[in-house]
Amino acid sequence: MQDGPAGAQPVYLVHVFCCTNERPATHWRGSCGERGGRELCDYMCRLGMALGARRIRINRAGCMNVCEHGPVMVVYPEAVWYKYETHADVDEIMRGHIIGGVRVERLVVSIDPATLHG
Amino acid sequence: MQDGPAGAQPVYLVHVFCCTNERPATHWRGSCGERGGRELCDYMCRLGMALGARRIRINRAGCMNVCEHGPVMVVYPEAVWYKYETHADVDEIMRGHIIGGVRVERLVVSIDPATLHG
């Protein structure tokens, strides 16, 4: 892959996508939304807005096909995946990784690509 | 930022997020969804599924705050932004960049972070 134009800057220094996909509660794979992902994403968005950092973006996303680990988010461009279940988890990811640049190891999800749902 | 665990692989080699946010047609900023982004994203998702490549993922996303350029998508981990308006545009991005690894320059959107909506 080619490099971008000389001097081009990334739009977002940190771009977070939180899965908010919601399946019926009876679905065998479950879903991030059904496990609280939507409310947690909204909470994280509010934190991001309160921060006022335009180069950090928190976004909702559709199903990222790692439902078994959910609720999940992925942080780009580093491609770090987190599982988060509480506001305290979100606070820790925001403070530690998104702002502080230090990965929150206890919440990192290690996903083996070979196990992705086909 | 630390490196990941030794030998860790990214879950997705190419991870695409298409904005499908929809505002009322009268909104002064417009929206990607209102300009066809949702249908184009669904079309791209179907192409991705037909491809059967589990390490390539096409996702819907909420508003990425570059509405003036929409409909937009961003391709991670490279952080390349595209504006796309037709199925032919989607075909070209899929064939050229997502599968072929060669950026489709005519559709790349250059976004100056200084112009982001505050």
Side-chain angles (χ1 to χ4, degrees):
Chain A
M1 181 58 57
Q2 314 101 314
D3 287 335
Q9 294 182 60
V11 178
Y12 297 118
L13 302 174
V14 184
H15 202 167
V16 178
F17 295 90
C18 304
C19 179
T20 60
N21 187 49
E22 196 146 351
R23 291 198 183 97
T26 53
H27 193 284
W28 68 277
R29 292 190 75 194
S31 64
C32 294
E34 196 261 323
R35 296 189 193 110
R38 187 168 296 231
E39 192 278 327
L40 289 164
C41 175
D42 289 350
Y43 175 69
M44 192 166 189
C45 287
R46 289 197 299 275
L47 281 186
M49 290 169 73
L51 194 66
R54 290 199 297 181
R55 305 288 300 280
I56 291 173
R57 185 76 183 170
I58 316 296
N59 269 120
R60 288 185 177 194
C63 175
M64 298 195 283
N65 198 28
V66 292
C67 320
E68 295 74 8
H69 301 278
V72 294
M73 69 174 80
V74 58
V75 181
Y76 280 110
E78 299 163 78
V80 175
W81 293 77
Y82 286 113
K83 173 172 184 152
Y84 59 124
E85 297 175 286
T86 65
H87 285 200
D89 291 344
V90 173
D91 291 341
E92 192 171 345
I93 293 166
M94 279 297 278
R95 191 175 53 244
H97 186 156
I98 310 303
I99 302 170
V102 178
R103 208 172 290 185
V104 181
E105 295 295 346
R106 77 171 188 89
L107 297 174
V108 169
V109 185
S110 179
I111 299 162
D112 179 352
T115 66
L116 286 173
H117 187 67
Chain B
M1 179 59 56
Q2 315 102 314
D3 288 334
Q9 295 182 62
V11 177
Y12 296 117
L13 302 174
V14 184
H15 202 167
V16 178
F17 295 91
C18 303
C19 178
T20 60
N21 187 49
E22 197 147 349
R23 293 198 182 97
T26 53
H27 192 285
W28 69 276
R29 291 190 76 195
S31 63
C32 294
E34 196 260 323
R35 296 189 194 111
R38 186 169 298 230
E39 193 278 326
L40 289 164
C41 176
D42 289 349
Y43 174 70
M44 193 166 188
C45 286
R46 289 196 300 274
L47 281 186
M49 290 170 73
L51 194 66
R54 289 198 298 182
R55 305 288 299 282
I56 291 173
R57 185 78 184 169
I58 317 296
N59 269 118
R60 288 185 177 195
C63 176
M64 298 195 282
N65 198 28
V66 292
C67 320
E68 295 75 7
H69 301 277
V72 295
M73 69 175 78
V74 58
V75 181
Y76 280 111
E78 300 163 77
V80 175
W81 293 76
Y82 286 113
K83 172 172 184 152
Y84 60 124
E85 297 175 285
T86 65
H87 285 201
D89 290 345
V90 173
D91 291 341
E92 192 172 342
I93 293 165
M94 280 298 277
R95 191 174 55 243
H97 186 156
I98 310 303
I99 302 170
V102 178
R103 207 172 290 185
V104 181
E105 295 295 346
R106 77 172 187 90
L107 298 174
V108 169
V109 185
S110 179
I111 300 161
D112 179 353
T115 66
L116 286 173
H117 187 67

